Amino acid sequence: MKSYKQAILLIGIAFFMFSSCVRNYSEIEITSLENVKEVLLMCTEDIKNINGLELKLSGFTERDFVIEQTNKANVTYVYKIDSGIIAKDYTGDWYSKECLLKLIPEKTDSLYLKIQYRFY
């Protein structure tokens, strides 16, 4: 009986942790870089002190392109995205409630990009 209760408790904790993690991500889908050159990511949760940003990029592109991540002031990170399947995760220090992503294509014939992000 005791192990049964422990198992139920562990399943409940695991479910809560999984569901709360999933809810923290926001998502944007981009199907063309022809009209979308910038994406503004905003923290929609009530977080007092933001310490970081996690980006999960997935999708497909026929040509290379660059993403610049900036706070519009003094911080810029540059990520080169190679042609083919996109599956990249970036996590790092971030102290702003906003993040501007600039999408800089060489030339894009076909693109599907899903951006999942969360501020923490």
Side-chain angles (χ1 to χ4, degrees), residues 13-25 45 118:
I13 290 171
F15 177 75
F16 174 76
M17 289 176 67
F18 175 75
S19 63
S20 64
C21 288
V22 170
R23 280 186 270 140
N24 288 338
Y25 284 93
E45 298 180 29
R118 72 179 185 99

Side-chain angles (χ1 to χ4, degrees), residues 2-89:
K2 184 178 179 181
S3 63
Y4 173 74
K5 287 181 181 179
Q6 287 175 334
I8 296 293
L9 179 63
L10 288 175
I11 290 170
I13 290 171
F15 177 75
F16 174 76
M17 289 176 67
F18 175 75
S19 63
S20 64
C21 288
V22 170
R23 280 186 270 140
N24 288 338
Y25 284 93
S26 297
E27 188 173 289
I28 296 172
E29 292 185 11
I30 299 170
T31 57
S32 171
L33 289 180
E34 195 170 305
N35 296 322
V36 178
K37 301 292 185 208
E38 294 183 347
V39 177
L40 182 62
L41 310 180
M42 298 176 62
C43 180
T44 56
E45 298 180 29
D46 186 25
I47 301 173
K48 300 265 188 241
N49 296 314
I50 293 175
N51 295 309
L53 174 64
E54 182 177 358
L55 294 173
K56 293 181 175 216
L57 308 177
S58 60
F60 177 82
T61 180
E62 287 186 355
R63 301 200 189 241
D64 299 350
F65 68 99
V66 171
I67 296 177
E68 287 185 1
Q69 174 188 344
T70 180
N71 66 355
K72 300 189 266 182
N74 59 353
V75 176
T76 301
Y77 300 108
V78 178
Y79 309 115
K80 185 176 185 302
I81 307 298
D82 296 324
S83 63
I85 295 172
I86 302 167
K88 303 217 178 250
D89 293 345

